[in-house]
């Protein structure tokens, strides 16, 4: 792919320049803020490359949630920052690390640029077989039908990550509420925004889920938007984080992979393979699984961001 | 008819670009955090509004046009409220620091 | 029309880059919080124009998502990880 247009060069230089600034920023809060900007800027690159589903996921996860995660980490480390800066390794070690990182980055770039044009890909085969499920979006087809096993395992990995975070809780707080209690003036600006924005966000999240059948979108992106809205309501103090021992919470967390597994075993029993959808019911089954997965992703990501239980229920 | 739409789109997007230019000049030249915030919120939002207007005239269907308007309204709402929060923090930083 | 959009896109990206440099360099934290705001306006304008240039209809959906998440990230930056927002008290309005 030749870079002919000026705006493509400008976009690439902005993104790379921002990345370089983030790496060399002095304060972690500034670097985390730059990372949020970076995560919200990359979707432009993905739209230019034609990967809209990836652009949606990058905007939601990379810009929104990961950025906020790093901001929270920077805030917690704020008190120890001067001590950490004083302990930095010497110039030689840092030089070695930067040379190694640059070498890896350049190797990856060389591999990508030296691929045969057009690169080896299964995309045409995936597009050809769209009739198997009746969905118009080939990415959703791959995620939910052709490589459904990978999607199921990814959701289980998310759940394992959440359990890993919960395992850090001291015994006395087990079953308690994650994170600290947020407060805001109930008649102030933050509470106003937290009352006005989440309904819009929920509509947009469900829209992104629904439109993923035939256009770019899907359960993961929709679920992430829902998680961000839930976190916004918690950050404004309008709702407290639920105790992790609540049954409805745990049922929501396992609903997605659970239904996925049930459908998969049903395919084994009634059909001819694990996760084989009977062709007449393929679309309704996929929609049902995606709905459950959206709720699970929203709950899991929200709880991952809320953190370790720090208070009693 | 579509020639008239094209001319209006060019005028609108050019106006949008001008307001972005003005907003960025303000961002670069204003001396204070609060004044820079003012330039960013007012001028850039107006620039986005004009760009959306221009693209609205080229939208292929009513639904796409409504989505464009929804984007602009969402950005307007967000900008108006979040700038208040940032402004208060800036004033507190200025008062104490 | 596409050439005009491409030109406008390049111009707005250049403005955005200048604004980003100024905002990230800003001496106080409040300046850096404006970065997410800048993307919410300039970045989204660039994205919508990019969608028009490449003919990608779904770019508007990405713009919706970015607008939403930029607001969320701005609020998270403003809270700076604390439980109470520093500027969100009614009494700071009185006696100005």
């Amino acid at each position: 792919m030749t870079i002919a247009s000026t705006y493509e060069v400008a976009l690439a230089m902005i993104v790379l320049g921002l990345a370089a600034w983030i790496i060399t920023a002095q304060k972690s809060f500034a670097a985390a803020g730059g990372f949020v900007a970076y995560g919200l800027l990359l979707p432009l690159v993905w739209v230019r490359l034609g990967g809209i589903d990836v652009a949606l996921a990058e905007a939601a996860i990379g810009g929104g949630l990961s950025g906020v995660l790093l901001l929270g980490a920077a805030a917690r480390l704020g008190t120890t920052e001067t001590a950490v800066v004083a302990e930095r390794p010497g110039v030689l070690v840092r030089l070695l690390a930067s040379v190694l990182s640059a070498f890896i980055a350049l190797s990856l770039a060389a591999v990508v640029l030296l691929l045969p044009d057009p690169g080896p890909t299964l995309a045409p085969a995936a597009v050809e077989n769209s009739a198997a499920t009746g969905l118009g979006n080939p990415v959703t087809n791959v995620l939910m039908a052709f490589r459904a096993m990978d999607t199921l395992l990814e959701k289980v990995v998310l759940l394992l990550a959440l359990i890993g975070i919960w395992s850090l809780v001291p015994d006395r707080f087990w079953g308690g509420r994650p994170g600290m209690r947020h407060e805001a003036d109930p008649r102030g600006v933050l509470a106003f925004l937290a009352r006005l924005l989440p309904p819009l966000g929920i509509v947009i999240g469900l829209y992104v889920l629904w439109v993923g059948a035939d256009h770019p979108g899907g359960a993961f992106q929709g679920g992430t938007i829902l998680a961000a809205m839930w976190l916004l309501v918690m950050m404004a103090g309008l709702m407290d984080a639920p105790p992790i021992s609540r049954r409805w919470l745990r049922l929501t967390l396992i609903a997605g992979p659970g239904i996925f597994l049930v459908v998969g075993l049903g395919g084994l029993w009634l059909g001819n393979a694990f996760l084989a959808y009977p062709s007449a019911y393929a679309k309704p089954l996929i929609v049902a699984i995606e709905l459950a997965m959206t709720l699970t992703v929203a709950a899991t990501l929200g709880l991952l961001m809320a953190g370790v239980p720090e208070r009693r229920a | 008819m579509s020639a008239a739409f094209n001319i209006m789109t060019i005028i609108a997007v050019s106006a949008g670009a001008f307001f972005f230019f003005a907003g960025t000049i303000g961002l670069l030249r204003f001396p204070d955090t609060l004044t820079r915030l003012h330039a960013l919120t007012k001028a850039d939002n107006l620039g986005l509004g004009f760009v959306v207007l221009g693209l609205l005239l080229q939208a292929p269907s009513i639904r796409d046009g409504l989505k464009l308007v929804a984007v602009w309204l969402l950005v307007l709402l967000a900008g108006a409220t979040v700038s208040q929060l940032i402004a208060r923090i800036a004033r507190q930083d200025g008062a104490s620091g | 029309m596409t050439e005009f959009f491409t030109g406008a896109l390049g111009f707005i990206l250049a403005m955005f880059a200048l604004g980003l440099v100024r905002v990230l360099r800003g001496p106080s934290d409040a300046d850096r919080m404006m970065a997410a705001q800048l993307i919410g306006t300039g970045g989204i304008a660039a994205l919508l124009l990019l969608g028009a240039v490449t003919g990608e209809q779904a770019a508007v959906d990405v713009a919706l998502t970015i607008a939403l998440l930029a607001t969320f990230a701005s609020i998270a930056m403003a809270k700076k990880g604390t439980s109470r927002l520093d500027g969100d008290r009614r009494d700071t309005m009185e006696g100005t």
Side-chain angles (χ1 to χ4, degrees):
Chain A
M1 189 193 307
T2 57
I3 301 186
S5 312
T6 329
Y7 82 83
E8 289 167 337
V9 177
L11 192 54
M13 279 183 15
I14 293 176
V15 170
L16 288 176
L18 182 57
W21 181 86
I22 295 173
I23 295 175
T24 56
Q26 291 296 320
K27 288 181 53 180
S28 21
F29 179 76
F35 184 78
V36 168
Y38 178 77
L40 293 173
L41 199 53
L42 267 186
L44 268 81
V45 176
W46 283 117
V47 169
R48 171 60 188 86
L49 292 175
I52 311 292
D53 300 78
V54 187
L56 281 171
E58 178 68 41
I61 298 264
L65 291 195
S66 300
V68 170
L69 197 61
L70 286 180
L71 282 169
R76 275 179 199 254
L77 293 174
T79 50
T80 62
E81 185 148 12
T82 43
V84 168
V85 169
E87 279 183 6
R88 281 172 90 183
V91 179
L92 197 57
V93 177
R94 277 185 282 151
L95 199 58
L96 198 60
S98 50
V99 163
L100 205 57
S101 311
F103 172 68
I104 294 179
L106 288 173
S107 312
L108 284 174
V111 165
V112 170
L113 288 174
L114 291 176
L115 277 177
D117 196 5
T121 171
L122 285 173
V127 170
E128 270 169 23
N129 286 308
S130 312
T133 51
L135 298 174
N137 185 7
V139 174
T140 308
N141 261 334
V142 170
L143 282 179
M144 297 299 300
F146 304 147
R147 302 294 309 195
M149 177 70 108
D150 293 342
T151 313
L152 170 60
L153 293 177
E154 279 159 15
K155 297 303 169 284
V156 175
V157 165
L158 265 185
L159 213 51
L160 288 176
L162 186 61
I163 295 177
I165 288 186
W166 283 354
S167 67
L168 294 172
V169 66
D171 278 345
R172 65 185 186 281
F173 291 138
W174 177 252
R177 298 177 188 264
M180 55 186 137
R181 179 74 168 99
H182 290 266
E183 292 174 333
D185 185 348
R187 289 171 306 162
V189 177
L190 183 54
F192 169 72
L193 196 55
R195 283 195 192 100
L196 202 49
L197 207 55
L200 298 173
I202 291 177
V203 170
I204 294 177
L206 291 176
Y207 163 73
V208 166
L209 159 68
W210 190 253
V211 87
D214 294 317
H215 300 286
F220 195 60
Q221 293 92 334
T224 311
I225 294 177
L226 292 180
M229 291 300 108
W230 187 30
L231 285 167
L232 179 57
V233 171
M234 284 200 284
M235 279 201 299
L238 293 179
M239 210 170 93
D240 201 2
I244 63 174
S245 55
R246 289 281 178 271
R247 176 152 305 180
W248 64 262
L249 186 67
R250 297 188 173 184
L251 282 177
T252 313
L253 287 174
I254 64 173
I259 292 192
F260 217 151
L261 203 56
V262 163
V263 170
L265 292 173
L268 191 63
W269 184 36
L270 296 171
N272 47 3
F274 184 63
L275 282 174
Y277 305 124
S279 46
Y281 298 111
K283 192 160 182 185
L285 276 178
I286 290 181
V287 167
I289 294 177
E290 284 210 304
L291 212 54
M293 262 192 358
T294 307
L295 290 175
T296 297
V297 165
T300 312
L301 288 176
L303 285 173
L304 275 172
M305 299 285 302
V308 182
E310 292 175 13
R311 294 172 281 150
R312 277 184 221 284
Chain B
M1 199 54 197
S2 75
F5 276 173
N6 284 351
I7 294 181
M8 288 198 282
T9 297
I10 291 181
I11 294 178
V13 173
S14 304
F18 168 72
F19 276 110
F20 271 113
F21 178 64
T24 307
I25 297 265
L27 202 53
L28 291 173
R29 300 276 304 170
F30 279 162
D32 192 20
T33 307
L34 286 176
T35 43
R36 284 196 289 267
L37 183 61
H38 199 90
L40 177 64
T41 314
K42 305 291 186 301
D44 277 12
N45 262 322
L46 197 53
L48 178 64
F50 272 115
V51 168
V52 165
L53 185 60
L55 289 174
L56 205 55
L57 296 168
Q58 304 281 325
S61 71
I62 303 238
R63 199 181 112 177
D64 292 319
L66 283 179
K67 269 204 281 189
L68 280 172
V69 173
V71 170
W72 180 58
L73 289 177
L74 187 57
V75 171
L76 218 54
L77 168 70
T81 38
V82 172
S83 61
Q84 289 282 321
L85 295 178
I86 298 180
R88 290 179 194 189
I89 291 180
R91 189 174 60 176
Q92 286 211 316
D93 277 354
S96 61
Chain C
M1 185 55 53
T2 312
E3 298 81 25
F4 170 70
F5 280 153
T6 312
L9 173 62
F11 181 73
I12 288 184
L13 271 180
M15 292 296 108
F16 173 75
L18 288 173
L20 197 60
V21 166
R22 181 66 191 92
V23 154
L24 288 176
R25 205 163 52 94
S28 70
D29 279 342
D31 284 285
R32 300 205 183 93
M33 290 174 204
M34 297 201 282
Q37 282 282 81
L38 180 61
I39 294 194
T41 52
I44 288 188
L47 179 58
L48 291 176
L49 284 173
L50 185 58
V53 164
T54 57
E56 197 58 73
Q57 306 252 344
V60 184
D61 293 341
V62 185
L64 271 175
T65 310
I66 290 186
L68 215 50
L69 269 300
T71 315
F72 172 64
S74 296
I75 294 176
M77 284 177 84
K79 287 202 76 166
K80 293 195 224 182
T82 56
S83 68
R84 254 207 103 85
L85 186 52
D86 281 336
D88 192 46
R89 282 188 291 273
R90 296 279 290 182
D91 49 54
T92 60
M93 294 294 291
E94 264 77 43
T96 316

